[in-house]
Amino acid sequence: MTVNMSKGQAISLQKADGGTLTAVRMGLGWQSAPRRGLFGSRTKEIDLDASAVLFADKQPVDVVFFRHLTSDDGSVRHTGDNLVGGAGQGGDDEAILVDLQRVPVHIDQIVFTVNSFTGQSFAEVANAFCRLVDETNGQEIARYTLTGGGPYTAQIMAKVHRAGTGWQMTALGSAANGRTFQDLMPAIVPHL
């Protein structure tokens, strides 16, 4: 059963049977929003990029994004860059896989971001979502929908963080501006 998350909401990443999740996929999907012009409706391709920044005691220690597809320890892996989107409400256009059992113990938070590499604002993006899937069975656990668009070019989407002996996910949904995860680092810090 999927939990539709709202900004700031946290969910435990524990299975209904009491077990803990071992592998999750953070999926990102989007479509270009139609624009009305002189010659009717049309869309412009938009390149959104998903990134995962790994933190240890509030310090960034690794990142997974389209130019560094696997974390140095191998526990986090990006499936590849999608330059145009298109899945929207369906499947994932980009995905980041996290093997929670392999994440080194010093990593306490993984922050997921999305940014418009081509610089269009989120007002030009439709049906954008971030979702968490149990990778062992394909079941969607949580979904965070980007609603409303806006004049910003990035979102600090969600974080997966250690909570006791398990993991928890928090939907952040914080608007920011930047074409890459590096541009977003000052905006990420308050969420750690």
Side-chain angles (χ1 to χ4, degrees), residues 31-95:
Q31 295 174 323
S32 298
R35 298 185 303 167
R36 298 205 69 80
L38 185 59
F39 300 107
S41 293
R42 58 193 169 104
T43 60
K44 181 178 181 182
E45 291 180 349
I46 295 177
D47 178 10
L48 296 185
D49 289 322
S51 302
V53 184
L54 289 70
F55 288 89
D57 196 29
K58 298 186 180 185
Q59 297 299 313
V61 294
D62 202 354
V63 66
V64 174
F65 71 117
F66 69 92
R67 289 193 181 139
H68 186 242
L69 295 175
T70 305
S71 62
D72 293 339
D73 59 56
S75 65
V76 182
R77 186 173 53 88
H78 196 297
T79 59
D81 196 14
N82 181 320
L83 302 177
V84 297
Q89 294 180 346
D92 303 328
D93 292 313
E94 290 193 12

Side-chain angles (χ1 to χ4, degrees), residues 4 10 14 16 20 25-26 31 55 59 74 76 93-94 97 101 103 106 117 127 135 147 153 175 180 184:
N4 287 314
Q14 193 168 52
T20 57
R25 174 175 18 111
M26 182 64 69
Q31 295 174 323
F55 288 89
Q59 297 299 313
V76 182
D93 292 313
E94 290 193 12
L97 307 169
Q101 294 181 312
V103 174
H106 70 285
F117 188 73
N127 300 323
E135 196 61 14
T147 56
T153 60
T180 66
L184 304 179

Side-chain angles (χ1 to χ4, degrees), residues 86-156:
Q89 294 180 346
D92 303 328
D93 292 313
E94 290 193 12
I96 297 176
L97 307 169
V98 182
D99 184 342
L100 294 168
Q101 294 181 312
R102 290 185 57 201
V103 174
V105 295
H106 70 285
I107 303 295
D108 54 10
Q109 299 184 68
I110 303 171
V111 177
F112 297 92
T113 66
V114 59
N115 53 273
S116 175
F117 188 73
T118 44
Q120 292 100 333
S121 74
F122 273 54
E124 298 177 69
V125 179
N127 300 323
F129 66 84
C130 174
R131 68 188 192 129
L132 192 70
V133 176
D134 181 343
E135 196 61 14
T136 61
N137 62 16
Q139 182 178 5
E140 184 174 285
I141 302 161
R143 177 177 288 256
Y144 179 66
T145 303
L146 290 169
T147 56
Y152 47 91
T153 60
Q155 277 263 349
I156 300 157

